[in-house]
Amino acid sequence: MLRPIDNAVRERRCLNGLWRFRPDPGGEGRRAEWWSRPLEGGLEMPVPASYGDVHPALGLRDHVGDVWYQTDVWVPAGWRGRRVALRFDAATHAATVWAGGVEVARHRGGYTPFEAEITPLAVPGAPIRVTVCVSNELSFATIPPGEVEVLEGGTGSVSYAAEVEGGQGTVEAALAGPAGDLVARCGGAAGELIAPAVHPWAPGDGRLYTLSLRVTTSGGGEDRYEIPVGVRTVAVDGERLLINGRPFRFRGTGWHEDADARGRGHDDTLRVRDLSLMAWLGANSFRTSHYPYAEEVIDYADRHGLVVIDEAPAVGLHLGLGADRRGVPARATFGPGAVDEGTREAHLGALRELVARDRNHPSVVMWSLANEPDSTDPAARAYFAPLVEEMRRLDPTRPLCFANARDPRSPSGDAISDLFDVLCLNRYFGWYVDTADLVSAERHLTAELRAWAARYAKP
């Protein structure tokens, strides 16, 4: 097949640009003959491009199956009496092409060109609609061969509860898929939307659905609210934390929402850069040390499949930390005149607001109640036990943790870790301890981790 060229008697027209686009995970398009009419859905996709990397919110990175492209092209009036061919440099891995509603080509293989003569269909001086259905599915009957592991589409549910001011109003709830398709519908101020064959939200796969609530009143008033939601499970099984039933290992970091002049405020540029650097490092998660990050950050994590440990702004509950380095006498943390019942009430308020704000985010898999409290003080138990109890009431679906900052290299003096589901240890081997001695740091860290594992059968 000769490559098209321009010369005195030949002429090309490039069709690169924005095409209408629609994913088709269920193969509906072939049954419904999408090629016979303008493609619905309102999405645009650049051609050429890797569609899985262009619209992160659609969850297309792990899509397996058909997608549809469509564009309208004007055939130049000067092409009257000339042969017209439609050429594709590549379509990975199989494609079917329609011109003006007529199938003109089928091709298997993703890296070489194919073409079809469309002279009878291409009327000079008139438009023609070009539609392409592309499948990326591999099998042992394709080159390259392969098997694709697809997350099983089980039945999922989304529970909702709405309060209507004055109690007068009708509530309708609907759940839509990533492409806008209706998945489930329910009526009433509270209910459960059952989604068959749901694609779960998972680490690295931020598949989101849209929950829509519509309220109408007898007087004709109306209110609507849409919220992105993910369907997934989180559980602790012995020494493993499971997301959707699969073991998950946290690899990540944290940072501070802080910048010169702006102070502790959200900045899209800095956050996207930070999170891009984390992805470059191979991170799959982060902890909001030591306060809830901006909602825009958690939204980003939802869309990109990043796992979040969401931490309350409870830092400073250890009056002995650094006291010797500052020349200040150490003092007890918990008790009258220090961290007391008034502190705990403020702490409870912060936890309630944190859960109220972030409970609907699928990326948030665990609540951290505090950063580096004095967990060796026996009085810490009386302080933290009511907090843990309230958090389990507010959200029984997520495990609880806190960032432990014990200096002794043994868990024997710990007073509160048994209250929590997951052990999180802040350690400074190679920094404050074993300074610049990474060989000793590794040996001491390993020994401490083994001691914790021997005492608590927890992740």
Side-chain angles (χ1 to χ4, degrees):
M1 183 188 303
L2 294 175
R3 185 178 184 179
I5 62 171
D6 288 311
N7 60 27
V9 295
R10 288 174 173 260
E11 186 178 352
R12 296 177 301 168
R13 179 160 185 186
C14 180
L15 303 186
N16 289 357
L18 296 179
W19 288 46
R20 294 188 292 277
F21 177 84
R22 185 172 179 181
D24 186 14
E28 175 191 352
R30 294 182 184 273
R31 297 189 297 270
E33 300 183 350
W34 285 358
W35 65 82
S36 64
R37 57 188 181 274
L39 197 61
E40 300 174 353
L43 289 173
E44 291 186 310
M45 185 67 66
V47 173
S50 171
Y51 64 75
D53 296 312
V54 176
H55 287 285
L58 298 183
L60 291 171
R61 177 176 288 276
D62 292 327
H63 171 81
V64 177
D66 291 345
V67 296
W68 292 72
Y69 291 84
Q70 191 179 82
T71 190
D72 295 306
V73 184
W74 280 92
V75 182
W79 286 9
R80 199 175 308 277
R82 305 176 71 177
R83 175 180 176 270
V84 180
L86 184 62
R87 173 191 163 102
F88 295 87
D89 282 345
T92 307
H93 289 279
T96 306
V97 182
W98 293 264
V102 177
E103 183 179 325
V104 296
R106 291 194 179 196
H107 183 260
R108 293 171 65 85
Y111 302 94
T112 48
F114 62 97
E115 67 180 25
E117 183 172 345
I118 60 169
T119 304
L121 304 171
V123 179
I128 185 170
R129 184 172 63 243
V130 178
T131 307
V132 186
C133 179
V134 182
S135 173
N136 66 349
E137 190 167 1
L138 293 174
S139 70
F140 287 108
T142 64
I143 292 292
E147 287 182 310
V148 179
E149 181 185 1
V150 182
L151 286 172
E152 293 295 331
T155 299
S157 65
V158 176
S159 299
Y160 73 93
E163 294 181 4
V164 181
E165 187 174 349
Q168 301 297 318
T170 301
V171 179
E172 296 177 344
L175 188 68
D181 50 309
L182 181 65
V183 174
R185 190 186 297 276
C186 186
E192 187 176 26
L193 295 151
I194 305 299
V198 71
H199 184 115
W201 187 98
D205 182 10
R207 180 64 63 97
L208 295 175
Y209 291 74
T210 300
L211 172 65
S212 301
L213 295 176
R214 180 172 177 261
V215 179
T216 55
T217 65
S218 57
E222 180 180 357
D223 190 16
R224 296 186 183 185
Y225 197 86
E226 293 84 31
I227 183 172
V229 297
V231 181
R232 57 105 183 97
T233 62
V234 177
V236 170
D237 177 30
E239 297 179 359
R240 305 183 303 168
L241 185 136
L242 308 178
I243 299 179
N244 298 325
R246 298 184 177 187
F248 178 75
R249 282 182 175 271
F250 290 89
R251 299 189 311 273
T253 180
W255 65 89
H256 281 291
E257 288 192 310
D258 213 345
D260 292 343
R262 181 178 291 103
R264 189 166 290 177
H266 175 68
D267 184 300
D268 279 328
T269 303
L270 292 177
R271 290 297 78 79
V272 170
R273 178 178 180 273
D274 287 344
L275 291 164
S276 296
L277 286 171
M278 286 170 57
W280 174 65
L281 288 169
N284 61 13
S285 54
F286 62 86
R287 168 173 154 243
T288 69
S289 51
H290 306 295
Y291 38 80
Y293 290 170
E295 289 183 82
E296 291 86 349
V297 177
I298 311 300
D299 289 339
Y300 186 102
D302 287 344
R303 296 193 302 270
H304 292 268
L306 282 166
V307 174
V308 178
I309 300 174
D310 210 354
E311 188 164 275
V315 60
L317 303 182
H318 195 327
L319 301 184
L321 276 182
D324 55 341
R325 290 191 292 272
R326 299 193 307 268
V328 177
R331 54 184 292 206
T333 299
F334 300 97
V339 177
D340 56 14
E341 292 183 4
T343 313
R344 189 171 59 213
E345 285 305 308
H347 198 161
L348 277 169
L351 290 171
R352 289 175 181 134
E353 291 187 355
L354 175 63
V355 174
R357 193 196 77 167
D358 289 348
R359 66 179 303 158
N360 294 320
H361 288 281
S363 60
V364 175
V365 303
M366 187 155 55
W367 304 114
S368 174
L369 274 63
N371 175 73
E372 302 192 357
D374 186 357
S375 58
T376 63
D377 186 343
R381 191 172 189 87
Y383 178 87
F384 275 99
L387 301 181
V388 170
E389 181 180 359
E390 176 66 1
M391 285 295 284
R392 297 202 188 284
R393 185 191 70 81
L394 291 171
D395 181 10
T397 72
R398 290 178 173 91
L400 305 179
C401 68
F402 74 97
N404 175 300
R406 287 201 56 241
D407 288 334
R409 300 174 189 178
S410 167
S412 59
D414 177 79
I416 61 174
S417 288
D418 63 300
L419 298 172
F420 295 83
D421 304 295
V422 176
L423 303 177
C424 295
L425 308 178
N426 282 1
R427 290 301 181 263
Y428 301 91
F429 296 107
W431 185 356
Y432 297 152
V433 181
D434 299 324
T435 305
D437 182 357
L438 298 186
V439 174
S440 297
E442 181 178 4
R443 184 172 67 253
H444 292 146
L445 175 60
T446 301
E448 185 184 350
L449 292 177
R450 286 175 175 163
W452 282 97
R455 182 176 176 87
Y456 296 108
K458 299 173 183 279

